Amino acid sequence: MACEMLYIDQKYAREMVAHALEDDPNECCGILAGKKGRVQKLYRMANVEASPYRYRMDPQELLKVYLEIDNSGWDIVAFYHSHTHSEAYPSATDLRLATWPEVRYVLISLLDKENPPIRAFHIENGNIIEEELEIGGAGR
Ligand SMILES: [Zn+2]
């Protein structure tokens, strides 16, 4: 599937940052669901690793959320997680564990807690491709 630009409404961007700050110093993770690159719903997921260096979703929770997304006629648009001690760029671990080439990976960095950068990537065959990401305001 060709990738469209990713559009995240400001309320979801704020929600991801709030989630990241709540779980700090551990990484947080979650799912952005929607259609055609436009996020319609955010799911906070448990990081079963509860670690500052990595994240892993609970397979049962992932399946439950996946079914709900599918039943809503949406797709998983992106997986998001936070980096509490590094940039908003996929780590070596992220590369190794990226098994969903059709899904974007959204990274939130808490290096700057006042204004945490959010970036989106495709990870395919060990290649990191940055995606265009628009964070929108009201009126869209
Ligand atoms: Zn990571």
Side-chain angles (χ1 to χ4, degrees), residues 14-71:
R14 276 199 296 266
E15 171 77 12
M16 287 191 291
V17 168
H19 190 193
L21 288 170
E22 278 174 39
D23 284 11
D24 185 38
N26 290 339
E27 292 190 0
C28 76
C29 59
I31 292 176
L32 301 175
K35 215 56 190 166
K36 296 187 187 299
R38 193 184 172 96
V39 175
Q40 309 278 1
K41 183 149 184 182
L42 179 152
Y43 295 87
R44 288 188 180 209
M45 303 290 282
N47 177 2
V48 295
E49 299 278 348
S51 158
Y53 305 108
R54 56 188 292 160
Y55 75 98
R56 188 163 53 86
M57 292 178 189
D58 170 43
Q60 293 287 97
E61 190 184 17
L62 180 57
L63 179 63
K64 187 173 152 278
V65 167
Y66 176 80
L67 291 174
E68 189 181 318
I69 290 169
D70 199 45
N71 285 335

Coordinates of all heavy atoms in Angstrom, one line a residue, residues 14-71:
R14 N -1.4 15.8 21.6 CA -1.4 16.2 23.1 C -1.5 14.9 24.0 O -0.9 14.8 25.0 CB -2.4 17.2 23.4 CG -2.0 18.6 23.1 CD -2.9 19.6 23.9 NE -4.3 19.5 23.4 CZ -4.8 20.3 22.5 NH1 -4.1 21.2 21.9 NH2 -6.1 20.2 22.1
E15 N -2.4 14.0 23.5 CA -2.7 12.8 24.3 C -1.4 11.9 24.3 O -1.1 11.3 25.4 CB -3.9 12.1 23.7 CG -4.1 10.7 24.2 CD -4.8 10.6 25.6 OE1 -5.3 11.7 26.0 OE2 -4.8 9.6 26.2
M16 N -0.7 11.8 23.2 CA 0.5 11.0 23.2 C 1.5 11.6 24.1 O 2.2 10.9 24.8 CB 1.0 10.9 21.7 CG 0.2 10.0 20.8 SD 1.1 9.7 19.3 CE 1.0 11.3 18.5
V17 N 1.7 12.9 24.1 CA 2.7 13.6 24.9 C 2.3 13.4 26.4 O 3.1 13.1 27.2 CB 2.8 15.1 24.6 CG1 3.6 15.8 25.6 CG2 3.4 15.3 23.2
A18 N 1.0 13.5 26.7 CA 0.5 13.3 28.1 C 0.9 11.9 28.6 O 1.3 11.7 29.7 CB -1.0 13.6 28.2
H19 N 0.6 10.9 27.7 CA 0.9 9.5 28.0 C 2.4 9.3 28.2 O 2.8 8.7 29.2 CB 0.4 8.7 26.8 CG 0.4 7.2 27.1 ND1 0.3 6.3 26.1 CD2 0.5 6.5 28.3 CE1 0.3 5.0 26.7 NE2 0.5 5.2 28.0
A20 N 3.2 9.9 27.4 CA 4.6 9.8 27.5 C 5.1 10.4 28.8 O 5.9 9.8 29.5 CB 5.3 10.5 26.3
L21 N 4.6 11.5 29.2 CA 5.0 12.2 30.4 C 4.5 11.4 31.7 O 5.2 11.3 32.7 CB 4.4 13.6 30.5 CG 5.1 14.6 29.5 CD1 4.3 15.9 29.5 CD2 6.6 14.9 29.9
E22 N 3.3 10.8 31.6 CA 2.8 10.0 32.7 C 3.7 8.8 32.9 O 3.9 8.4 34.1 CB 1.4 9.6 32.4 CG 0.4 10.6 32.8 CD -1.1 10.2 32.4 OE1 -1.4 9.0 32.5 OE2 -1.8 11.1 31.8
D23 N 4.1 8.1 31.9 CA 4.9 6.9 32.0 C 6.4 7.2 32.2 O 7.2 6.2 32.5 CB 4.7 6.0 30.8 CG 3.3 5.3 30.9 OD1 2.5 5.7 31.7 OD2 3.1 4.4 30.1
D24 N 6.8 8.4 32.0 CA 8.2 8.7 32.2 C 8.7 8.3 33.6 O 8.0 8.6 34.5 CB 8.4 10.3 32.0 CG 9.8 10.7 32.0 OD1 10.7 10.0 31.5 OD2 10.1 11.8 32.6
P25 N 9.8 7.7 33.8 CA 10.9 7.5 32.9 C 10.8 6.2 32.0 O 11.7 6.0 31.1 CB 12.2 7.3 33.8 CG 11.6 6.6 35.0 CD 10.2 7.2 35.1
N26 N 9.7 5.5 32.1 CA 9.5 4.3 31.2 C 9.0 4.8 29.9 O 8.3 5.8 29.8 CB 8.6 3.3 31.8 CG 9.2 2.6 33.0 OD1 10.5 2.6 33.2 ND2 8.4 2.0 33.9
E27 N 9.2 4.0 28.9 CA 8.6 4.3 27.6 C 7.1 3.9 27.6 O 6.7 3.0 28.3 CB 9.3 3.4 26.5 CG 10.7 3.8 26.2 CD 11.3 3.1 24.9 OE1 10.6 2.3 24.3 OE2 12.5 3.4 24.6
C28 N 6.3 4.7 26.9 CA 4.9 4.4 26.8 C 4.7 3.9 25.4 O 5.5 4.1 24.5 CB 4.0 5.7 27.0 SG 4.0 6.8 25.7
C29 N 3.5 3.3 25.1 CA 3.2 2.8 23.8 C 1.7 2.8 23.6 O 0.9 2.8 24.5 CB 3.8 1.4 23.5 SG 3.3 0.1 24.6
G30 N 1.3 2.9 22.3 CA -0.1 2.9 22.0 C -0.3 2.8 20.5 O 0.7 2.6 19.7
I31 N -1.6 2.9 20.1 CA -2.0 2.6 18.7 C -2.8 3.8 18.2 O -3.7 4.3 19.0 CB -2.8 1.3 18.6 CG1 -1.8 0.1 18.9 CG2 -3.4 1.2 17.3 CD1 -2.5 -1.2 18.9
L32 N -2.5 4.2 17.0 CA -3.4 5.2 16.4 C -4.1 4.5 15.3 O -3.6 3.9 14.4 CB -2.5 6.3 15.8 CG -1.6 7.1 16.7 CD1 -0.7 8.1 16.0 CD2 -2.4 7.8 17.8
A33 N -5.5 4.6 15.4 CA -6.3 4.0 14.4 C -7.0 5.0 13.5 O -7.3 6.1 14.0 CB -7.4 3.1 15.1
G34 N -7.3 4.7 12.3 CA -8.1 5.6 11.4 C -8.1 5.1 10.0 O -8.0 3.9 9.8
K35 N -8.3 6.0 9.1 CA -8.4 5.7 7.7 C -7.6 6.6 6.9 O -7.5 7.8 7.1 CB -9.9 5.8 7.4 CG -10.5 4.9 6.4 CD -10.3 3.4 6.8 CE -10.7 2.5 5.6 NZ -10.3 1.2 5.8
K36 N -6.9 6.1 5.9 CA -6.2 6.8 4.9 C -5.2 7.8 5.6 O -5.1 9.0 5.2 CB -7.1 7.6 4.0 CG -8.0 6.7 3.1 CD -8.7 7.5 2.1 CE -9.7 6.7 1.3 NZ -9.1 5.6 0.5
G37 N -4.5 7.3 6.6 CA -3.5 8.2 7.2 C -4.0 9.2 8.2 O -3.3 10.1 8.7
R38 N -5.3 9.2 8.4 CA -5.9 10.2 9.3 C -6.4 9.5 10.5 O -7.2 8.6 10.5 CB -7.1 10.9 8.6 CG -7.6 12.1 9.3 CD -8.8 12.7 8.6 NE -9.3 13.8 9.4 CZ -9.0 15.1 9.3 NH1 -8.3 15.4 8.2 NH2 -9.4 16.0 10.1
V39 N -5.9 10.0 11.7 CA -6.1 9.3 12.9 C -7.5 9.7 13.5 O -7.9 10.8 13.5 CB -5.0 9.7 14.0 CG1 -5.4 9.1 15.3 CG2 -3.7 9.3 13.5
Q40 N -8.3 8.6 13.8 CA -9.6 8.8 14.4 C -9.7 8.4 15.8 O -10.7 8.8 16.5 CB -10.6 7.9 13.6 CG -10.6 8.1 12.1 CD -11.3 9.3 11.6 OE1 -11.9 10.0 12.4 NE2 -11.3 9.5 10.3
K41 N -8.8 7.6 16.3 CA -8.9 7.1 17.6 C -7.5 6.7 18.1 O -6.7 6.2 17.4 CB -9.8 5.9 17.8 CG -10.0 5.5 19.2 CD -11.4 4.9 19.5 CE -11.5 4.5 21.0 NZ -12.7 3.9 21.3
L42 N -7.3 7.0 19.4 CA -6.0 6.7 20.1 C -6.2 5.6 21.1 O -7.2 5.8 21.9 CB -5.4 8.0 20.6 CG -4.0 7.8 21.4 CD1 -3.3 9.2 21.3 CD2 -4.2 7.5 22.8
Y43 N -5.4 4.6 21.1 CA -5.5 3.6 22.2 C -4.2 3.6 23.0 O -3.1 3.4 22.4 CB -5.7 2.2 21.6 CG -7.0 2.0 20.9 CD1 -7.1 2.3 19.5 CD2 -8.1 1.4 21.5 CE1 -8.3 2.1 18.8 CE2 -9.3 1.2 20.9 CZ -9.4 1.5 19.5 OH -10.6 1.3 18.9
R44 N -4.3 3.9 24.3 CA -3.2 3.7 25.1 C -3.0 2.2 25.4 O -3.9 1.5 25.7 CB -3.4 4.4 26.5 CG -3.3 5.9 26.4 CD -3.4 6.4 27.8 NE -3.3 7.9 27.9 CZ -2.8 8.6 28.9 NH1 -2.3 8.0 29.9 NH2 -2.8 9.9 28.8
M45 N -1.7 1.8 25.3 CA -1.5 0.4 25.5 C -0.5 0.2 26.7 O 0.3 1.2 26.9 CB -0.8 -0.3 24.3 CG -1.7 -0.1 23.0 SD -3.2 -1.1 23.0 CE -2.5 -2.8 22.6
A46 N -0.6 -0.9 27.4 CA 0.4 -1.1 28.4 C 1.7 -1.5 27.9 O 1.8 -2.3 26.9 CB -0.2 -2.2 29.3
N47 N 2.8 -1.0 28.4 CA 4.1 -1.4 28.1 C 4.5 -2.5 29.1 O 4.8 -2.3 30.2 CB 5.1 -0.3 28.2 CG 6.5 -0.7 27.9 OD1 6.8 -1.9 27.5 ND2 7.5 0.2 28.0
V48 N 4.4 -3.8 28.6 CA 4.6 -4.9 29.6 C 6.1 -5.0 30.0 O 6.4 -5.7 30.9 CB 4.1 -6.2 29.0 CG1 2.6 -6.2 28.9 CG2 4.7 -6.6 27.7
E49 N 7.0 -4.3 29.2 CA 8.4 -4.3 29.6 C 8.6 -3.3 30.8 O 9.5 -3.5 31.6 CB 9.3 -3.9 28.5 CG 9.2 -4.8 27.3 CD 10.1 -6.0 27.4 OE1 10.9 -6.1 28.4 OE2 10.0 -6.9 26.6
A50 N 7.7 -2.3 30.9 CA 7.8 -1.3 31.9 C 9.3 -0.8 32.0 O 9.9 -0.9 33.1 CB 7.3 -1.7 33.2
S51 N 9.9 -0.4 30.9 CA 11.3 -0.1 30.8 C 11.6 1.2 30.2 O 10.8 1.7 29.3 CB 12.0 -1.2 29.9 OG 13.2 -0.8 29.4
P52 N 12.6 1.9 30.6 CA 13.0 3.2 30.0 C 13.7 3.0 28.6 O 13.9 4.0 27.9 CB 14.1 3.8 30.9 CG 14.1 2.9 32.1 CD 13.5 1.6 31.7
Y53 N 13.9 1.7 28.2 CA 14.7 1.5 27.0 C 14.0 0.7 25.9 O 14.5 0.6 24.8 CB 16.0 0.7 27.4 CG 16.8 1.5 28.4 CD1 16.9 1.0 29.7 CD2 17.4 2.7 28.1 CE1 17.6 1.7 30.7 CE2 18.1 3.4 29.1 CZ 18.2 2.9 30.4 OH 18.8 3.6 31.3
R54 N 12.8 0.2 26.3 CA 12.1 -0.6 25.3 C 10.7 -0.7 25.6 O 10.3 -0.4 26.7 CB 12.7 -2.0 25.1 CG 12.8 -2.8 26.4 CD 13.6 -4.1 26.2 NE 12.8 -4.9 25.3 CZ 13.4 -6.0 24.7 NH1 14.7 -6.2 24.8 NH2 12.7 -6.8 23.9
Y55 N 9.9 -1.2 24.6 CA 8.5 -1.3 24.9 C 8.0 -2.6 24.2 O 8.6 -3.1 23.3 CB 7.6 -0.2 24.4 CG 7.5 -0.2 22.9 CD1 6.3 -0.7 22.3 CD2 8.5 0.3 22.1 CE1 6.2 -0.7 20.9 CE2 8.3 0.3 20.7 CZ 7.2 -0.2 20.1 OH 7.0 -0.2 18.8
R56 N 7.0 -3.2 24.8 CA 6.4 -4.4 24.2 C 4.9 -4.4 24.6 O 4.6 -4.2 25.7 CB 7.0 -5.7 24.6 CG 6.5 -6.9 23.9 CD 7.5 -8.1 24.0 NE 7.8 -8.4 25.5 CZ 7.0 -9.1 26.2 NH1 5.9 -9.7 25.7 NH2 7.3 -9.3 27.5
M57 N 4.0 -4.5 23.6 CA 2.6 -4.5 23.9 C 2.2 -5.9 24.3 O 2.8 -6.9 23.8 CB 1.8 -4.1 22.6 CG 2.0 -2.6 22.3 SD 1.1 -2.2 20.8 CE 1.8 -0.6 20.5
D58 N 1.2 -6.0 25.1 CA 0.6 -7.3 25.5 C -0.2 -7.9 24.3 O -1.1 -7.2 23.8 CB -0.3 -7.0 26.7 CG -1.1 -8.3 27.1 OD1 -0.5 -9.4 27.0 OD2 -2.3 -8.2 27.3
P59 N 0.2 -9.1 23.9 CA -0.5 -9.7 22.7 C -2.0 -9.8 22.8 O -2.7 -9.6 21.9 CB 0.2 -11.0 22.6 CG 1.4 -11.0 23.4 CD 1.2 -10.0 24.5
Q60 N -2.5 -10.1 24.0 CA -3.9 -10.2 24.3 C -4.6 -8.8 24.1 O -5.6 -8.7 23.4 CB -4.2 -10.6 25.7 CG -3.8 -12.1 26.0 CD -4.7 -13.1 25.3 OE1 -4.4 -13.5 24.2 NE2 -5.8 -13.3 25.9
E61 N -4.0 -7.8 24.6 CA -4.5 -6.4 24.5 C -4.5 -6.0 23.1 O -5.4 -5.4 22.6 CB -3.7 -5.5 25.4 CG -4.4 -4.1 25.6 CD -3.5 -3.1 26.4 OE1 -2.3 -3.3 26.6 OE2 -4.1 -2.1 26.8
L62 N -3.4 -6.3 22.4 CA -3.2 -5.9 21.0 C -4.3 -6.6 20.1 O -4.9 -5.9 19.3 CB -1.8 -6.3 20.5 CG -1.4 -6.0 19.1 CD1 -1.6 -4.5 18.8 CD2 0.0 -6.5 18.8
L63 N -4.6 -7.8 20.4 CA -5.6 -8.5 19.6 C -7.0 -7.9 19.8 O -7.7 -7.7 18.9 CB -5.6 -10.0 20.0 CG -6.7 -10.9 19.3 CD1 -6.4 -10.9 17.8 CD2 -6.7 -12.3 19.9
K64 N -7.3 -7.6 21.1 CA -8.6 -7.0 21.5 C -8.7 -5.7 20.7 O -9.8 -5.4 20.1 CB -8.6 -6.8 23.0 CG -9.9 -6.4 23.5 CD -9.9 -6.4 25.1 CE -10.8 -5.4 25.6 NZ -10.3 -4.0 25.7
V65 N -7.7 -4.8 20.8 CA -7.7 -3.5 20.2 C -7.8 -3.7 18.6 O -8.6 -3.0 18.0 CB -6.5 -2.7 20.6 CG1 -6.4 -1.4 19.7 CG2 -6.7 -2.2 22.1
Y66 N -7.0 -4.6 18.1 CA -7.0 -4.8 16.7 C -8.4 -5.2 16.2 O -8.9 -4.7 15.2 CB -6.1 -6.0 16.3 CG -6.1 -6.3 14.8 CD1 -5.5 -5.5 13.9 CD2 -6.9 -7.4 14.4 CE1 -5.6 -5.7 12.5 CE2 -7.0 -7.6 13.0 CZ -6.3 -6.8 12.1 OH -6.4 -7.0 10.8
L67 N -9.1 -6.1 16.9 CA -10.5 -6.5 16.5 C -11.5 -5.3 16.6 O -12.3 -5.1 15.7 CB -11.0 -7.6 17.4 CG -10.2 -9.0 17.2 CD1 -10.7 -10.0 18.2 CD2 -10.5 -9.5 15.8
E68 N -11.3 -4.5 17.6 CA -12.2 -3.3 17.7 C -11.9 -2.3 16.6 O -12.9 -1.8 16.0 CB -11.9 -2.6 19.1 CG -13.0 -1.5 19.3 CD -12.7 -0.8 20.7 OE1 -12.4 -1.4 21.7 OE2 -12.8 0.5 20.7
I69 N -10.7 -2.1 16.2 CA -10.3 -1.3 15.1 C -10.9 -1.8 13.8 O -11.5 -1.1 13.0 CB -8.8 -1.1 15.0 CG1 -8.3 -0.3 16.2 CG2 -8.4 -0.4 13.7 CD1 -6.8 -0.3 16.4
D70 N -10.7 -3.1 13.6 CA -11.2 -3.8 12.4 C -12.8 -3.7 12.3 O -13.3 -3.4 11.3 CB -10.8 -5.2 12.4 CG -10.8 -5.8 11.0 OD1 -10.4 -5.2 10.1 OD2 -11.3 -7.0 10.9
N71 N -13.4 -3.9 13.4 CA -14.9 -3.8 13.5 C -15.4 -2.4 13.2 O -16.5 -2.2 12.8 CB -15.4 -4.3 14.8 CG -15.4 -5.8 15.0 OD1 -15.4 -6.5 14.0 ND2 -15.3 -6.3 16.2

